[in-house]
Amino acid sequence: MWSADDVARASVRRQGEGLSVAQVGDKVAEAQRREQETWQQLRSPAGGRGPYDVDPADLAEQWVARHTEWRRIAALMDDEGWPVYSTEQDVQGSTWARERDAQREGALARRAAWQREQQDARDELKAQVWLPAEVSRRLRAIAARTDLQPEQVLAQLADRVRMDNNGALTVGTFTPR
């Protein structure tokens, strides 16, 4: 759901809270070193890569994004003269965090709606009913008088069916709508 940039921004923001200028400088240097290491690993033959190792291309992309974000924070602290990084003061980082949260909430809402649709689809019953000619004529006449389709009349009828203790089905009088 999130890009490497989004993941980097979130993790760097979390890790950076309360760090001094020197500590952020160390993080920039570490991210640069790790970025170079992953690019070297990416260029080397993949023979030593095990089945559970992280994809070097993905890892390189993540470290490039982290390095970029740590540099942004270092520059921000330098420009603003902050002795310590604070996520609350980081306007751009806070905007990105709110956007990620909104994106996540939207994705969760879409997922929940999709799950409800899937459940409704499982609960629905689509049936093809063959009725004798006389019953079919009566059903069509009722449907015509009520401005409904025959299927709609049957659905309303089925909605009102009740079963008593003996297993007998009953339908009280009703007017199709």
Side-chain angles (χ1 to χ4, degrees):
M1 181 168 82
W2 285 2
S3 69
D5 290 335
D6 289 331
V7 172
R9 289 173 184 151
S11 67
V12 166
R13 219 170 123 75
R14 204 172 34 253
Q15 293 172 13
E17 180 66 36
L19 294 183
S20 68
V21 172
Q23 290 171 315
V24 169
D26 291 343
K27 292 290 190 178
V28 170
E30 178 191 5
Q32 181 179 13
R33 181 180 54 78
R34 298 290 297 268
E35 177 184 348
Q36 290 170 350
E37 288 173 356
T38 55
W39 281 118
Q40 288 171 354
Q41 182 184 6
L42 186 59
R43 284 190 234 65
S44 71
R49 187 168 165 221
Y52 302 108
D53 289 346
V54 176
D55 181 11
D58 289 343
L59 190 58
E61 185 180 358
Q62 290 172 20
W63 278 108
V64 166
R66 285 182 184 165
H67 185 205
T68 301
E69 185 61 10
W70 279 118
R71 284 193 326 247
R72 183 191 74 80
I73 288 175
L76 177 66
M77 290 176 72
D78 187 47
D79 291 347
E80 298 294 327
W82 296 345
V84 174
Y85 176 71
S86 170
T87 57
E88 292 176 7
Q89 292 178 310
D90 184 356
V91 175
Q92 182 64 56
S94 296
T95 300
W96 286 333
R98 282 191 302 276
E99 289 171 356
R100 278 191 309 277
D101 289 344
Q103 181 184 15
R104 181 178 179 274
E105 292 301 318
L108 289 173
R110 287 188 301 277
R111 172 73 178 176
W114 178 81
Q115 285 176 324
R116 282 191 303 275
E117 287 175 10
Q118 296 303 308
Q119 184 60 46
D120 289 347
R122 282 191 296 271
D123 291 344
E124 287 179 358
L125 173 65
K126 294 179 183 180
Q128 193 171 31
V129 180
W130 295 93
L131 300 172
E134 179 56 33
V135 174
S136 180
R137 280 192 288 276
R138 279 188 285 155
L139 177 59
R140 287 189 189 146
I142 293 168
R145 278 187 269 147
T146 58
D147 243 2
L148 296 171
Q149 296 294 317
E151 296 84 8
Q152 293 171 312
V153 173
L154 286 176
Q156 290 182 22
L157 179 67
D159 190 42
R160 288 167 175 79
V161 170
R162 302 291 173 248
M163 184 183 301
D164 66 16
N165 292 338
N166 298 328
L169 301 177
T170 59
V171 178
T173 58
F174 75 97
T175 304
R177 300 188 195 288

